[in-house]
Amino acid sequence: GWQVSMKSGSLSYILPCNRLPVQLMSQVRVYTSNGQKKDLGSEDTNASARGETLHKVETGRQDTANAGQKQSSPKQPIQVKVKAVLKKREYGPKYTQNNFITGVRAINEFCLKSSDLDQLRKIKRRSPHDDTETFTVYLRSDVEAKSLEVWGSPEALARERKRRKEAEIKYRENLFRNQRLLWEYKEFFGNTKPRSSTAAMFFKGPGKVVMVAICINGLNFFFKLLAWVYTGSASMFSEAIHSLADTCNQALLALGISQSARTPDPSHPYGFTNMRYIASLISGVGIFMMGAGLSWYHGIIGLLHPHPVESLLWAYCILAGSLVSEGATLLVAINEIRRSARAKGLSFYQYVVQSRDPSTNVVLLEDAAAVLSVAVAATCMGLTSLTGNPYYDSVGSLGVGTLLGTVSAFLIYTNTEALLGRSIEPEQLQRLTELLESDPVVRAIHDVKATDMGMSKVRFKAEVDFDGRVVTRSYLEKQDIEQLLQEIQQVKTLEELEAFMLKHGENIIDMLGAEVDRLEKDLKQRNPDVRHVDLEIL
């Protein structure tokens, strides 16, 4: 019998055997003592070479080992199974040319025209947009070849890209002029599609509240200013400044409302809804600087340098009119907030504190402060007229300034919190989580984040652990099982197995993408506040 020496570390084992079979998948070769080999299964030169390399027969040691053993000892064969694996493929730039590219990117990046793409191969793929199910893409290699055909050389293409980049920079520098020309063009030829009128926003909802407040506060400022000039009262001056600050801030709110209705563009893909919060934040700062600051300044000057107050009859009349007008604006704001809070299922206090509608909140707080400040000013002016002491009037100015400072601090805090991106309510987040976890295709979700982007718009993000068996079963349910079985039975070689797995593996990945789209659509349909959903596959 032959002996096979197998070494492991520093130990050597001498095993008796008559033949050594080497098995590779379905290929088995048997080596006998006479140097011949018997093939079982298909031929494989590389496998036999590896078998001969791994198992060498040491003839010098065989005679010595056989002399000490009995001839009657049983000889058991040793079988070594070699695992067959696919060779790792190196993916280079040539392979990435098979990537898909959209028509818009092909035109922009390779300086082509839409007519140039008509001759290229068109491939239908699942669309990432909600309004379409499929869209057309092109092979990147085809687009690159077409660009070279059109421009002649990579250098000419690079020069064209540079020229277009310079033209784009020049266009941005003259953006205002181009927008003006575009507006004149639309006015002359007419709009190609209907647009939402910005003016219509100021006839309902928060826009209506802001416009009513602008008109009333503008009139109040004019009459209060006349009363201050006639009487010289520090409290009346504070009231005039207060009405001026309210008018300017509400004009700023109107600008924020109009800007928030702008259509999202590539520079601002999530839109301009936060412009309302920005305008409200600036309004809060303006109330503090102009309203509270000037009121404190005038009150301190009145305490340091008191002077007698003239007849206050006209001042009382103007304050009474201001109280009525400010109260009417306050009621409009309260009714609007109650209606909006009822639609969202929130209480009046929760709606105000959470700053759900910053524009209406500013009007509400400004008018509430105006009503209280009118009461403070009238009280202090009455004490001054009764006692003849001008210090009461100056104290009233300080009181109005303190009230405005409190309102401005609240507005700055609530709008800053909204701009930072706060989380939604835990109950709403729990409903979104349960909706995902109840789906059969989802095993678990992790790292859930739901951010309130402002104006009842929520962005939801989560990492989802998908059940691969359910996804695969969903794919198989849409296939012809008998035909699939025939394809499996026709697989005989490793190359055919690789082609089979690559074909159906890509289709299963597409099925996984379709499941992600379905989950995102369900979240948006059942929760209208959710506008943006980002589900990451774990």
Side-chain angles (χ1 to χ4, degrees):
W2 284 56
Q3 306 296 320
V4 178
S5 176
M6 301 179 64
K7 293 184 178 182
S8 174
S10 60
L11 300 178
S12 177
Y13 302 93
I14 307 297
L15 301 177
C17 66
N18 191 23
R19 55 190 178 185
L20 178 64
V22 179
Q23 181 178 350
L24 173 61
M25 297 295 285
S26 62
Q27 304 159 0
V28 179
R29 294 185 178 179
V30 180
Y31 293 83
T32 61
S33 59
N34 57 6
Q36 298 178 352
K37 56 184 179 182
K38 299 180 181 179
D39 292 343
L40 302 178
S42 59
E43 295 287 335
D44 190 355
T45 305
N46 294 333
S48 64
R50 289 194 296 269
E52 292 172 357
T53 303
L54 294 174
H55 308 284
K56 292 184 178 180
V57 179
E58 300 182 4
T59 58
R61 299 183 181 179
Q62 291 171 359
D63 296 336
T64 305
N66 287 334
Q69 294 187 1
K70 296 180 181 181
Q71 297 296 333
S72 61
S73 60
K75 300 173 183 178
Q76 300 294 334
I78 298 179
Q79 294 184 354
V80 180
K81 293 184 179 180
V82 181
K83 183 179 180 181
V85 295
L86 286 176
K87 182 180 179 181
K88 185 177 180 180
R89 177 172 295 178
E90 298 293 338
Y91 297 100
K94 183 178 180 181
Y95 186 83
T96 58
Q97 291 179 355
N98 295 326
N99 291 354
F100 297 136
I101 185 173
T102 62
V104 175
R105 286 189 58 192
I107 293 174
N108 294 334
E109 297 181 11
F110 293 92
C111 305
L112 297 176
K113 300 178 181 178
S114 58
S115 58
D116 297 331
L117 303 178
D118 295 338
Q119 304 174 359
L120 303 182
R121 288 177 290 178
K122 299 178 178 62
I123 302 171
K124 293 291 185 180
R125 298 293 293 174
R126 181 173 49 84
S127 174
H129 308 291
D130 296 335
D131 54 349
T132 56
E133 294 183 358
T134 60
F135 73 131
T136 304
V137 294
Y138 305 87
L139 282 175
R140 189 179 184 89
S141 57
D142 293 347
V143 175
E144 291 178 351
K146 187 64 178 179
S147 65
L148 293 179
E149 177 185 343
V150 172
W151 296 104
S153 64
E155 292 76 13
L157 177 60
R159 288 194 297 268
E160 178 63 18
R161 286 175 176 172
K162 182 179 180 181
R163 186 190 67 81
R164 293 192 179 190
K165 186 67 176 178
E166 292 174 352
E168 181 181 357
I169 295 175
K170 185 177 180 181
Y171 170 79
R172 290 181 178 179
E173 292 176 351
N174 300 289
L175 182 60
F176 178 78
R177 182 176 62 86
N178 292 332
Q179 288 180 344
R180 182 66 181 178
L181 292 175
L182 181 62
W183 180 80
E184 293 177 355
Y185 173 84
K186 290 181 178 180
E187 288 294 324
F188 183 76
F189 290 99
N191 296 326
T192 57
K193 59 181 180 179
R195 296 180 301 170
S196 60
S197 176
T198 305
M201 299 179 60
F202 296 102
F203 293 98
K204 60 181 180 179
K208 177 182 178 182
V209 176
V210 171
M211 293 306 297
V212 170
I214 289 176
C215 296
I216 292 179
N217 284 315
L219 292 175
N220 288 339
F221 164 71
F222 177 74
F223 288 113
K224 288 178 181 179
L225 184 65
L226 291 180
W228 170 70
V229 171
Y230 180 74
T231 63
S233 170
S235 296
M236 186 55 64
F237 175 81
S238 298
E239 280 299 303
I241 294 298
H242 182 187
S243 297
L244 175 62
D246 288 349
T247 304
C248 295
N249 290 330
Q250 285 151 10
L252 183 62
L253 293 178
L255 177 62
I257 292 175
S258 64
Q259 291 296 313
S260 66
R262 293 171 57 187
T263 304
D265 56 28
S267 300
H268 305 84
Y270 290 107
F272 299 85
T273 54
N274 282 339
M275 281 301 299
R276 295 194 183 191
Y277 292 96
I278 295 174
S280 299
L281 178 62
I282 299 175
S283 177
V285 176
I287 293 174
F288 183 81
M289 298 295 295
M290 183 181 292
L294 287 179
S295 296
W296 284 333
Y297 171 79
H298 208 73
I300 293 174
I301 292 299
L303 291 176
L304 297 177
H305 306 286
H307 59 84
V309 179
E310 302 296 334
S311 174
L312 298 177
L313 178 61
W314 286 105
Y316 290 140
C317 295
I318 292 174
L319 283 179
S322 176
L323 180 63
V324 173
S325 60
E326 296 285 2
T329 309
L330 179 62
L331 289 178
V332 172
I334 289 175
N335 291 333
E336 176 63 25
I337 290 180
R338 281 180 176 174
R339 185 186 63 81
S340 301
R342 192 181 305 112
K344 296 296 180 182
L346 299 174
S347 65
F348 184 89
Y349 175 77
Q350 289 176 333
Y351 193 89
V352 173
V353 171
Q354 294 177 12
S355 190
R356 293 282 179 169
D357 187 354
S359 303
T360 309
N361 277 1
V362 172
V363 175
L364 171 72
L365 296 175
E366 285 182 346
D367 290 339
V371 172
L372 293 177
S373 62
V374 166
V376 171
T379 301
C380 293
M381 290 170 60
L383 292 175
T384 298
S385 61
L386 290 176
T387 61
N389 188 352
Y391 286 109
Y392 290 110
D393 187 56
S394 299
V395 170
S397 180
L398 293 176
V400 172
T402 302
L403 186 60
L404 293 178
T406 303
V407 170
S408 64
F410 179 79
L411 291 175
I412 292 173
Y413 171 75
T414 55
N415 287 284
T416 302
E417 285 290 311
L419 288 173
L420 287 176
R422 59 194 172 195
S423 178
I424 63 176
E425 292 297 318
E427 294 79 9
Q428 186 180 4
L429 182 60
Q430 183 66 24
R431 288 197 301 269
L432 296 175
T433 303
E434 291 176 353
L435 176 61
L436 282 179
E437 290 180 337
S438 62
D439 196 279
V441 79
V442 177
R443 279 179 174 167
I445 59 174
H446 309 279
D447 193 23
V448 180
K449 295 183 178 68
T451 306
D452 188 351
M453 300 175 60
M455 299 306 300
S456 300
K457 292 184 178 181
V458 176
R459 181 179 180 181
F460 182 82
K461 177 262 178 187
E463 294 187 2
V464 183
D465 184 5
F466 285 90
D467 192 336
R469 297 170 298 178
V470 177
V471 175
T472 306
R473 188 175 292 108
S474 299
Y475 170 71
L476 293 176
E477 290 173 355
K478 299 181 180 180
Q479 305 300 315
D480 187 348
I481 299 299
E482 294 183 356
Q483 181 181 357
L484 189 63
L485 181 59
Q486 292 177 0
E487 292 181 11
I488 296 175
Q489 293 174 349
Q490 292 174 359
V491 174
K492 301 298 182 182
T493 63
L494 293 177
E495 289 76 11
E496 293 177 351
L497 176 62
E498 179 183 5
F500 176 83
M501 295 299 296
L502 290 177
K503 171 188 174 182
H504 293 281
E506 182 178 8
N507 294 337
I508 292 175
I509 294 299
D510 289 341
M511 176 61 66
L512 178 60
E515 292 292 337
V516 172
D517 292 343
R518 180 182 62 82
L519 291 176
E520 293 179 351
K521 187 176 181 179
D522 289 345
L523 284 174
K524 293 179 181 179
Q525 287 181 346
R526 300 188 184 185
N527 301 272
D529 290 346
V530 178
R531 303 294 180 87
H532 308 283
V533 181
D534 300 322
L535 298 182
E536 299 179 4
I537 301 175
L538 195 59

